[in-house]
Amino acid sequence: MSRTTTAAPAVRPYQSYVYAYPHKTAYRPLADRPGLRELWAAERKDALSLYLHIPFCEVRCGFCNLFTRIGAPDELTTRYLDALDRQATAVREALGDDGPVRFAAAAFGGGTPTFLTAAELERLCDIAEKRMGADLRSVPLSVETSPSTATADRLAVLAERGTTRISIGVQSFVEAEARAAVRPQRRADVEAALDRIRDARIPVLNIDLIYGIDGQTEDSWRASLDAALGWRPEELYLYPLYVRPLTGLGRLDAEAGAAADAAWDEQRLRLYRAGRDHLLTHGYEQVSMRMFRRADAPRTDGPDDYACQTDGMIGLGCGARSYTTRLHYSFDYAVEMREVRAIIDGYAATEDFSRAQVGRYVDGDEARRRHLLQSVLQAEGLRLADYRERFGTSPADDFPGELARFEERGWLDAPAGTSGLLRLSPEGLAHSDALGPELFSPGVRAAMAAYELK
């Protein structure tokens, strides 16, 4: 990154993207390896979320620290889908039939799910439907793709099987910026993929863009935004670039002896504000720091009775998480390619999926923190009545110090507890990646700090 000397901001705005809590680096091997049947016995299962993880990509972008590997030699995708089938069978048996089991939403992520062939995507959908009992044509189904894998035959399968939203990682329409992010692609190929997606008539198109790339300016950022707007996407996600350990850019940054500093923070904040304002003037509504939705876009969020703060999640695949009210669990996690390959190989060879292996128990305090994080980082905010109904307290009772700091910094829309909502101000949304980590518990912070990168 290009750097200049500037005064450091009081609070660094880009600390961590809080997309789930607790973070997977706070998970540990579970000594008791609890059985899934016992874990789910007392859980409500009438509004579950289903997530299937495909850990394969054609290339690995320089900023990526997702759990994925490049390529799949020796029929690895077949062996992986075989294991996914075994896991789905075990999980559905563990859910039992004592009460209703219903899925309110589904998603295929990765990695790149469309790394799979059209026939393999058919099998993936069959696993969700025939093994788990999810009706993909009647619930929201979101699928991630890339320009090189969004082929007509794959998209046809996804459209026919009920996909309501497809998300494509473009990151930049400027080829030099894509190269700087270690994501080699031609704009013509990106636009051809977008053409095919629109031809497939999947209701919601999301385009991911990244700001803060080396050499990016407000003009080039606006050019990428305008290029994306030309496709009238129903959603746009604007991601700040992070340089993380063990990624391609992380290694380059370490070699250069430069870490993200105040100048880069200022660049990203400036580009974020420019992007936000540009989308707001073009008919988009802000849903969170990252997400913008076209005001007239169809809503495919799913049933009103599904809430990510409270409802359970079933994750299938070696990089997927599952959530009960007491335990969040998954498999081992890594970023370094050799470690990732070993975990995927181990998953593909697994026969017994009846027990949770790695995770973290979520007690009353952690449940409060998770509920607050999952709500307040959305532009609509947290309904105080919902929080009180669930916990018998208010956020001001449980987090007085944190909320006082947020209010002092101008991050709250109104003083905590003075209205029916706890909602972030525009500056609070802009600082979501600083605000979120401040709500981590001491125990989670310690576990994350002690995690050994691999």
Side-chain angles (χ1 to χ4, degrees), residues 15-208:
Q15 297 180 30
S16 178
Y17 173 22
V18 184
Y19 58 89
Y21 180 82
H23 193 273
K24 280 185 82 171
T25 54
Y27 289 14
R28 293 294 184 272
L30 298 166
D32 55 346
R33 296 193 69 230
L36 301 189
R37 185 177 295 276
E38 291 71 34
L39 282 176
W40 286 96
E43 299 288 319
R44 284 191 58 178
K45 299 181 278 284
D46 58 345
L48 296 170
S49 177
L50 179 64
Y51 177 78
L52 277 67
H53 177 249
I54 303 300
F56 306 111
C57 291
E58 288 195 341
V59 297
R60 189 166 191 176
C61 304
F63 51 84
C64 178
N65 72 336
L66 297 178
F67 187 89
T68 188
R69 62 162 292 164
I70 301 170
D74 304 321
E75 298 185 340
L76 181 55
T77 55
T78 299
R79 291 185 284 115
Y80 185 85
L81 289 172
D82 289 345
L84 199 69
D85 199 321
R86 293 193 297 273
Q87 186 188 8
T89 300
V91 171
R92 183 60 188 87
E93 289 177 357
L95 293 178
D97 294 305
D98 296 337
V101 176
R102 182 174 71 92
F103 292 95
F108 302 159
T112 308
T114 50
F115 178 90
L116 300 178
T117 65
E120 289 171 332
L121 286 171
E122 289 275 17
R123 186 179 180 195
L124 187 68
C125 292
D126 284 345
I127 290 171
E129 292 193 323
K130 297 178 181 179
R131 294 289 186 262
M132 294 303 302
D135 186 351
L136 298 182
R137 292 179 178 84
S138 65
V139 302
L141 171 60
S142 178
V143 182
E144 297 172 8
T145 191
S146 67
S148 62
T149 61
T151 58
D153 59 339
R154 292 175 169 106
L155 294 168
V157 168
L158 295 176
E160 194 278 328
R161 297 302 290 261
T163 302
T164 55
R165 176 182 182 271
I166 193 143
S167 178
I168 183 169
V170 172
Q171 320 316 349
S172 177
F173 284 87
V174 179
E175 292 183 10
E177 291 179 4
R179 288 194 299 272
V182 195
R183 183 187 177 90
Q185 64 187 22
R186 297 191 314 129
R187 178 168 174 170
D189 294 334
V190 172
E191 293 181 337
L194 288 166
D195 262 332
R196 293 191 294 271
I197 291 171
R198 280 312 197 193
D199 287 345
R201 300 189 180 279
I202 292 170
V204 172
L205 164 65
N206 173 70
I207 298 176
D208 288 346

Side-chain angles (χ1 to χ4, degrees), residues 423-446:
R423 187 167 53 194
L424 299 183
S425 66
E427 274 304 286
L429 279 175
H431 288 80
S432 292
D433 286 7
L435 184 152
E438 289 200 31
L439 291 171
F440 291 5
S441 71
V444 165
R445 289 175 183 273

